Amino acid sequence: MLHLPLRLRFWLGFLLGVTSSLGSALCQADSWEQAKRMHDRLTGIPASEAVLKDMKALIEQKQYKDAAYMAMDNDAFYRVTLKNWVAPWTNREQNQFIPLNDYIATVMGYALKDKDFRGILSDDVLFVGQGVSPAYSLSSNAHYEALENSNLNFKNVLTEVSQSSLTGYTGAAAGVMTSRAAAKSFFIAGTNRAMLRFTLMNHLCHDLEQLHDVTRVPDRIRQDVSRSPGGDSRLFLTGCMGCHNGMDPLAQAFAYFNYEFDADADTTGENGRIRYNAEGVTDPKTKMRVVAKYHINNTTFPYGYVTTNDTWDNYWRQGQNASLGWGAGNGHGTGAADLGKELANSEAFSQCQAKKVFQQVCLRGPESKDDLAALGDMVSSFKAEQYHLKTLFATAAVYCKGD
Amino acid sequence: MALYASLFKRITFCTGLTLVMVLTEACSGGSGKRTQRIAPAPVIKDEATIAQYNGKVPNQQVQRYIDNFWSHLANRTCGNCHGAVGTAPRKFLDGQNIQSSYDATLAVVDLTSPSKSALVAKMTATPAGHNCWSASSQVCADAIKLLIENWAAAEKGAPSSATEIVLQVPKTLAKLDSLQFPSSTDSFAPLYNGILRKYCIGCHTPEALQAQQQQPYFASPDIAVAYAAAKPKINLDNPELSGFYQKITGMKHNCWYNSDCVKSGDELLAALKAMAEAIKAQVPDTNPNAGPPASGVVDFANAQIVSTGGRFDANVIALYTFKEGKGDIAYDSSGVAPDLNLRLSGDYQWEAAWGVRFNAGLNGVKPDGRAQGSVEASSKIAKQLRASGEFAIEAWVVPGNVTQEGPARIVSFAGDDNHRNFMLGQHIYNYVFDNHSEGSKATGERLQTLDASKVLQATQQHVVVNYSATDGTTLYVNGEKVASAKAPETPSLNPYDDSFALVLGREVSGNYGWAGTLRMLAIHKRPLTAQQAKTHYEVGVGQKFFMLFAVSELLGNSISNAFVVFEVQQFDSYSYLFNKPFFISLDPAAAPSNIHIKGVRIGVNGRESMIGQSFANLDTTISASNYNAKSGTPLSTIGTLVALEKGQGFDQFYLTFDVIGDKTSQRTPETPLIAIAPEAPAIPTKSDIGVRTFGQINAALALMTGVPEADVRTTYEQVKQQLPSQTTADGFVAAQQMGITQLAVKYCNVMASNAAYRSALFPGLDMNQSHFDTPSKTLIKQRLMKALLAHGVKEDSSQLVNQPSPTEVDTALDKLFVTMDSCTSDCAKKTLTAVCAASLGSAVMLLH
């Protein structure tokens, strides 16, 4: 670190005060200020004078969305905004300070290519950096770290590839849920319930406390869940059961997945890889395709459900959680991709993406009547424009551009 | 039903204990003082010893009788009357005429079904028992039954095995009347407004802060939503059994009145009772006879005990089943004299499902419950194990948590904290076992499960510790081997000390208290085999019953004596386990075909339970191909918990069906109530500006200085976690500004040090000056303001209103230049770095 003279430190503080009255000035924003704010919020960086002038011109012609799209043409929208927006979704700690990974890059790719964002949980797709060395690896994140550390323009190099062509697992791909980063975080050890919980949190904006419903049928709760924690079954009947009765039949979709790593030499699984028991492959412990973690601690409550396949059921289509607005379908399917479609076709999915974008662009959650109306407009636009992610960013930026 | 009274069916089952049902009641013990170093006085003076037979050599059959039965009872009170010198007519303990004694015994025991022995029944025939040597006649009954079982096992050369169960038609009970929830919310409104909307809105409503929102939303602003969410937590027939009330009084869940759970509970109960009374006064708006097809009603008194075998208890020398349910003594029902009964003290409570719970202390107080035997009686363990040189400690435990350490003592046989014979304890997620063999230190050699395995869980577990001179120490949990250690070089148990005491839940010193429940403890003088450990786990703990729910009427009496049967047991003090249902007819000639059964729900005390209905999705058809005349047709392999309401002696059960045979019940599809969104404020309450976060700051500084991010990556990686991660300005702290400063200085220093970068940002700037002249200063200020957009970018040359005044910035930077005039070396670069960092690292960049 450079050692600054004491006086310089004083001056740094002084200049902080120069902008102390900025907040009050914002209510007087005109098209210039609106253009600057839209650009800053969408990209994280100041605009060049040329772009600012062009955006200002579009705003004056009431072509607000075009102005937003102009800002999003800057690579910083991907490299800065989307990277740090998505990063917390990809790990259990919800840590933002992590390197680029395949989950983040794939979300970027969906935005860049204007792909239907509902496919983010089900498509056989992954985005890689074309020409970036080292190439994509199932057992390393080096490819994405190299891409992030390069000066390459993300817009130019992000390239769509078939996920199954990389993994070799036909029929396993389920968008970012089966990305290496998600597998490393949510298929590692445990019971694979984490994949469902974090997907619900990140893409339906609901944690399990908000989905807790003891009235659902608990017939699919696995054997590893104690029915009498500490000898008190009231805890199960009023607590644990309310989440597990809906969660376990859904998380069954991941019954063939695992994240393999050397637990002794690589405790955090940095060099691990996703594993999927394809047709004909059996787990040595379960003697079926179902991975061993679905049968662990099976003596905790031996009368619990024994998983034998990856068929899932959505019990939350009935009861209070029907309010999540499930889409067409019968709430029943096989495997992770089917489940991804079930989740992404819900009203809650679209609402959640809109809320997250609103927070990112407006720097606060929607709270006023106007905010909520704007949120509704964002969702409507999202649906009307084939679920393009940039639609949400553009409409949010227009709403929060300042008056 | 009398017509069918003589009908029966023999079927074979493979699980369960042969235990006699007792109705138990929960009873809490009071606080006790800490015990002395050695146990308190023995609870019952028992000077009985194992009798020695000194007569002529018997045949092998009689020898097995002597070893397993006679020797354990002849010196007890039984021998006073039924022995050689007694006056009782049946001389089944006559050691002087052992053959006739053997013959007399065969007349009062049933070696095929020991629990049905006349001798066992005699012990419980009257409330006082029949001259039981113990204060509890049940102890004598259990002990004698165990002796007969062991004798029977010795006869067969194998432990008692699967027992034939004779299913019999149960007595028909009338279905209890039950209040039904009305469709109107009127009766709910007082509870809603007076309690739920008053005390529960911090979490149980969508209005709560998102991080605190907790379903169910029974405090929702929409009373219809709240009513639907509240129903599963209200018991109209017994308001004090309502989930709401239990949560407050039993689980101390966020009580109000300054956490006064008694006062809170009283207010809540009054509201619940008022609601029930209001509903009673109404005319029901649903026809109580219009419900789904329902089976006959059954209670535990009319259920059949599942009396099976499978346990290997021939070498048990102390056995605790904890079925007493009250009092302060846990009786040794091994039958092996002398009885090692344990005195309970401290904070403990009996479990209704058999067991004793040592409670966790509240408010930092350590658990202080324990059960301790006398030194004299405990010495039988030391003597027996010294003689055998090996043993198995077997226990069904429910650790109260996975945080206690010490190790916390589950079972200890010790003199003080540092001198013991053996000790089974808990250390967080681990079981710990110490054994004092010859050559080991006084605290014993330790075997502990692996940390990473997290074998110990706060749930019911079956634990077996084996010790032998050949195989060392082996620990099994739930029938699986989880840890082992080789035998020591000198494996003898000779150091076992007769002056130590057996204690459960705590050390004899009173230290190292354990919170949890013991549901069974057996000390065997020989190790259990791996298969026996697994079998004992599979046999389980507690009394099991078969409940037969009559369904013939629902099938139009087309098949006689048809039942849906559940294996039922009380699971703990708060619930029942309904397990593995099957369909069967007790008519051996029955040939059920094409009986469709769908959507089975369990009713308790007149109404369907709203939770735990694991068989509601069941959908199967019984046909000749899947029906077995002996075992029926399995309906499911899973079990479910049903909340206990009034207790095992009072609760009644029945089944309902969506479809059974030709009868159907079209349930009304659930119509989810969508909560009304809380009223939104007219204007946002939060600021619509904020600070850039770490990645944005880095990218902005790179853009403004023209320095590639890669050139500053090392510094960025060092400081990025010190930079803001949230956009809210009111969370901004000085440490974050220091991180920004450090990064800005680095960018500016790289720029000032690199001619290409420098000339791109400040074209024509002369760096060969000791101090910048006025044109240079003007150039620097203009270019920095341009980078910040703090200059006349508009057509009229005015500045953006959301950027600082160019005049103020100009003035401020001028002052900084003056300050830097005192610089004495390398001043151009230092001044440029300083002015650049002060500008670009300021709030002008940071806020947006």
Side-chain angles (χ1 to χ4, degrees), chain A residues 82-102:
Chain A
L82 291 183
K83 195 264 171 166
N84 295 311
W85 185 59
V86 178
W89 311 349
T90 69
N91 64 92
R92 294 192 191 211
E93 297 75 25
Q94 299 176 298
N95 184 7
Q96 295 174 282
F97 303 105
I98 59 167
L100 182 71
N101 58 46
D102 56 351

Side-chain angles (χ1 to χ4, degrees), chain A residues 11-12 15 19 26 33 36 40-41 44 49 56 209-210 216 226 228 230-231 233 299 303 315 367 369, chain B residues 215 357 458-459 478 572 575 617 639 670 681 685-686 688-689 692 786 791 795 801 803 815-816 838 843:
Chain A
W11 281 104
L12 287 167
L15 276 176
T19 54
L26 291 179
E33 285 77 17
K36 173 166 172 51
D40 280 14
R41 298 291 175 84
E49 281 195 30
K56 176 250 181 191
E209 288 85 1
Q210 298 156 290
R216 297 304 92 204
S226 172
S228 184
S233 57
T299 57
Y303 323 112
Y315 288 1
E367 51 177 339
K369 288 177 181 172
Chain B
Q215 288 272 20
R357 173 193 290 257
T459 190
N478 291 347
D572 60 17
S575 67
N617 289 334
E670 294 181 75
T685 57
K686 294 183 179 135
D688 66 349
I689 64 168
R692 287 184 213 273
K786 190 176 181 65
H791 67 297
E795 296 88 337
V801 296
Q803 292 298 290
K815 289 181 181 176
L816 183 52

Side-chain angles (χ1 to χ4, degrees), chain B residues 155-319:
Chain B
E155 287 295 319
K156 289 193 294 185
S160 56
S161 57
T163 308
E164 287 189 326
I165 306 298
V166 180
L167 288 182
Q168 294 179 324
V169 176
K171 181 178 155 189
T172 303
L173 301 175
K175 183 181 168 188
L176 295 174
D177 287 335
S178 178
L179 287 176
Q180 305 296 322
F181 286 101
S183 54
S184 163
T185 60
D186 291 351
S187 57
F188 172 66
L191 170 67
Y192 173 71
N193 291 315
I195 305 279
L196 304 179
R197 286 293 289 171
K198 203 168 171 183
Y199 303 119
C200 309
I201 55 173
C203 304
H204 291 283
T205 167
E207 303 156 288
L209 295 174
Q210 183 158 9
Q212 294 172 359
Q213 286 174 15
Q214 173 67 58
Q215 288 272 20
Y217 291 148
F218 47 72
S220 165
D222 184 337
I223 190 170
V225 170
Y227 187 40
K231 284 178 185 174
K233 296 182 173 297
I234 298 172
N235 186 324
L236 293 173
D237 300 306
N238 297 282
E240 62 279 6
L241 299 178
S242 298
F244 277 136
Y245 184 66
Q246 295 286 323
K247 194 91 173 181
I248 294 297
T249 58
M251 301 166 79
K252 319 291 183 197
H253 176 79
N254 294 333
C255 305
W256 51 99
Y257 293 130
N258 290 325
S259 301
D260 184 339
C261 293
V262 173
K263 193 174 176 185
S264 304
D266 288 347
E267 184 181 12
L268 176 60
L269 184 58
L272 289 164
K273 285 181 174 176
M275 179 179 174
E277 289 302 318
I279 292 172
K280 267 185 206 170
Q282 296 173 9
V283 176
D285 58 4
T286 55
N287 179 357
N289 298 318
S295 73
V297 178
V298 185
D299 62 6
F300 277 95
N302 289 287
Q304 286 182 242
I305 292 173
V306 179
S307 180
T308 61
R311 284 187 58 85
F312 186 85
D313 286 329
N315 296 310
V316 162
I317 55 172
L319 175 65

Side-chain angles (χ1 to χ4, degrees), chain B residues 783-834:
Chain B
R783 297 294 296 179
L784 287 175
M785 282 192 277
K786 190 176 181 65
L788 291 168
L789 292 174
H791 67 297
V793 67
K794 296 183 177 181
E795 296 88 337
D796 62 1
S797 298
S798 63
Q799 81 276 11
L800 301 180
V801 296
N802 55 5
Q803 292 298 290
S805 157
T807 306
E808 288 181 25
V809 175
D810 188 275
T811 304
L813 292 178
D814 269 343
K815 289 181 181 176
L816 183 52
F817 277 122
V818 170
T819 302
M820 294 303 293
D821 282 345
S822 61
C823 170
T824 56
S825 67
D826 200 12
C827 293
K829 182 178 160 188
K830 285 182 179 175
T831 301
L832 185 59
T833 299

